[in-house]
Amino acid sequence: MYGRILIANDGSDGAAKALAVALKLAHRLKAPLAMISVEEMPHIPATIDEVVEDRLDEDHRYQQVIAQAQFHAKAAQVKLEAHVVAGHAVPCIVEFIERGGFDLLVIGYMGHSAIYNRLIGSTTDRLVELAPCHVLVVK
């Protein structure tokens, strides 16, 4: 049914739930599982030192996310290939899906207020709309 599965993992609680589901699904289908984490800088840095500091913070954060995901993948007997890319989450993930030929994207649901979703939008909503494959949203 699904030959290549991608999990988007930002280290949130929703992403942890999505990872658990993706691991079970990959194990059951004997499908390769890849994980993408998108490194976004939340503000415009004023100096090169701020860029370096932000980059080090993100590297450290995603090292922990990847290590934890690899630990759970090993326990589930699933080979996990982790990728960290820089940019904006939605276009980076959509492009990664297209380049990798993924059949399924598994993402976590964050759960913001209705006002937040109307004003700011939701990464999950945009991925459901724009992803060129099936999308499984885990709550």
Side-chain angles (χ1 to χ4, degrees):
M1 177 176 218
Y2 297 112
R4 293 182 46 82
I5 301 171
L6 177 67
I7 168 76
N9 191 342
D10 62 359
S12 67
D13 291 339
K17 291 176 186 177
L19 177 63
V21 170
L23 288 169
K24 287 178 187 175
L25 194 55
H27 180 75
R28 186 172 296 149
L29 297 174
K30 295 178 179 39
L33 180 62
M35 182 176 81
I36 185 170
S37 298
V38 180
E39 187 180 298
E40 292 188 83
M41 291 188 197
H43 69 285
I44 298 172
T47 67
I48 192 67
D49 291 337
E50 286 183 28
V51 171
V52 170
E53 185 178 329
D54 285 348
R55 176 67 189 210
L56 290 174
D57 287 346
E58 289 296 324
D59 284 347
H60 180 69
R61 175 179 174 214
Y62 285 119
Q63 283 177 353
Q64 291 175 335
V65 170
I66 291 168
Q68 189 172 41
Q70 292 287 6
F71 173 80
H72 291 296
K74 186 175 181 179
Q77 299 176 333
V78 172
K79 183 179 180 226
L80 178 68
E81 185 179 311
H83 304 270
V84 177
V85 297
H88 296 288
V90 175
C92 282
I93 293 170
V94 168
E95 181 182 321
F96 195 84
I97 291 167
E98 290 170 345
R99 280 185 309 173
F102 292 95
D103 307 299
L104 177 66
L105 170 64
V106 182
I107 52 177
Y109 176 74
M110 183 62 101
H112 292 290
S113 70
I115 292 173
Y116 176 91
N117 285 340
R118 266 190 235 115
L119 293 175
I120 307 295
S122 159
T123 300
T124 301
D125 289 343
R126 292 192 322 250
L127 284 169
V128 167
E129 180 182 341
L130 297 173
C133 64
H134 291 146
V135 179
L136 174 60
V137 179
V138 178
K139 283 179 96 175

